[in-house]
Amino acid sequence: DPAQRMKNCAILQYTRVNPDDPSEIDSRLRWMRIIYPENLAKSPNGGKWTELSKPKYSMSNDLLKQADDFPSKIVDK
């Protein structure tokens, strides 16, 4: 995404702590932001925290179904 291109000296921050509610702590990295120290206003998303998306699968079959969409590199002989 061109809007997410980073300049030199950009700072990437990841956190498990909800930036809006510090009492909420996730077991995985869930939020991130990119900051340009010389100009916060020109940082992607204005330097605001964004929630990372994580695909959710209802069953292992969903994941296997998605893997089947890609051709196998293993050739049976």
Side-chain angles (χ1 to χ4, degrees):
D1 180 357
Q4 298 296 317
R5 289 195 178 144
M6 292 182 289
K7 296 179 179 182
N8 288 338
C9 299
I11 299 171
L12 276 74
Q13 290 182 296
Y14 294 89
T15 186
R16 297 180 312 128
V17 179
N18 184 338
D20 297 321
D21 180 7
S23 67
E24 180 186 352
I25 301 173
D26 204 309
S27 61
R28 64 178 178 87
L29 294 175
R30 189 166 157 193
W31 295 272
M32 69 92 59
R33 69 178 174 174
I34 302 170
I35 296 174
Y36 298 154
E38 80 283 357
N39 192 339
L40 184 62
K42 290 193 176 185
S43 300
N45 297 320
K48 295 178 183 167
W49 290 99
T50 57
E51 190 166 355
L52 298 170
S53 62
K54 179 180 177 185
K56 295 182 180 178
Y57 301 100
S58 59
M59 301 179 79
S60 60
N61 290 340
D62 292 343
L63 185 56
L64 289 172
K65 186 177 175 183
Q66 186 175 1
D68 286 339
D69 291 341
F70 295 91
S72 177
K73 301 293 182 189
I74 300 172
V75 179
D76 292 330
K77 290 186 180 188

